Structures are given as structure tokens and as C-alpha cells.
Amino acid sequence: MRAGKLRHRVTLEFYQRLPRTPSGDTPSDWVAVDTARASIEPLRGRLLLAAQEAQSESTARIRLRWRQDVADATGKTLRFRYRGRVYRVDGRPVDPDLRGRELEVMVHEWV
């Protein structure tokens, strides 16, 4: 993977359990763990009308260098943040050439 294509600096957020509160609850929330260089490639977009409320959905592909924590993640445990936009993962990250050099993650963004 050429470094020049990785022009976006994304924040990796994992869904984690937080420390137990004094009341005994164990809350969970998205926690920013690290940043990584990535390529964000928009693929398509559409406008949805649901419950008389307009929402737009865009789909993109994020490519980044191989990371074991990202390779093991799913859409319920990982999301990306870039310039205020939140990208949620669809499915599991894929190693496109099966060489352990890069990951390709299909994501969607709700605006």
C-alpha cells in the first residue's frame, strides 16, 4: 500500500465497558483508542425518508495498514471518526490480498 494514498487521519473508536460506577452500574461507551492513516473512498449515497424525517446515508470504503485490533473487530465494536463524521462498520474488515499488509473496511455514515 502506497503511503501517499493514506491521506486521511482517522480516529479508531472501540465500544468498551467503562469502570464500574459507585452505584454498581457497568456503563459502556465508545472510546477513542488510537489514530491511523487511512484512505476514505466514498462509494454511493442516497436519501431516506423515514418517519417523515429526511436522513441521508452514504457508503464508503476505508483502507488502512494492517492492524490486528481492527482485523478482529466487528461493526458492533468498532467505528471510525473523521472530521466530525462517524463511520460505522458494515460486517468484518477484509484483507484484500491475504498478505497481512492492509485492511479494507466497508462503512456507512448517517448524517
Side-chain angles (χ1 to χ4, degrees):
M1 171 171 267
R2 298 184 59 109
K5 292 185 177 186
L6 305 177
R7 65 179 191 268
H8 305 103
R9 182 168 296 279
V10 296
T11 302
L12 283 75
E13 296 182 344
F14 287 91
Y15 196 70
Q16 297 179 348
R17 290 187 183 204
L18 301 175
R20 191 176 293 268
T21 62
S23 64
D25 292 337
T26 54
S28 300
D29 200 6
W30 292 99
V31 177
V33 175
D34 199 4
T35 60
R37 303 294 294 178
S39 167
I40 301 175
E41 305 165 15
L43 299 177
R44 65 181 169 93
R46 66 180 176 181
L47 183 66
L48 301 174
L49 295 174
Q52 299 178 358
E53 183 176 323
Q55 298 176 341
S56 64
E57 173 189 334
S58 62
T59 304
R61 176 183 321 152
I62 295 181
R63 294 179 188 251
L64 66 156
R65 286 196 171 91
W66 177 269
R67 293 177 56 115
Q68 191 63 48
D69 56 352
V70 174
D72 294 338
T74 63
K76 294 181 180 180
T77 61
L78 170 68
R79 71 181 186 183
F80 296 92
R81 186 177 294 270
Y82 177 71
R83 291 190 176 177
R85 296 179 174 181
V86 177
Y87 294 94
R88 297 183 180 162
V89 176
D90 293 331
R92 294 190 66 90
V94 175
D95 181 3
D97 59 1
L98 302 175
R99 296 175 67 186
R101 299 170 114 183
E102 69 177 290
L103 287 170
E104 184 176 289
V105 186
M106 301 305 290
V107 297
H108 69 273
E109 171 197 7
W110 285 91
V111 180

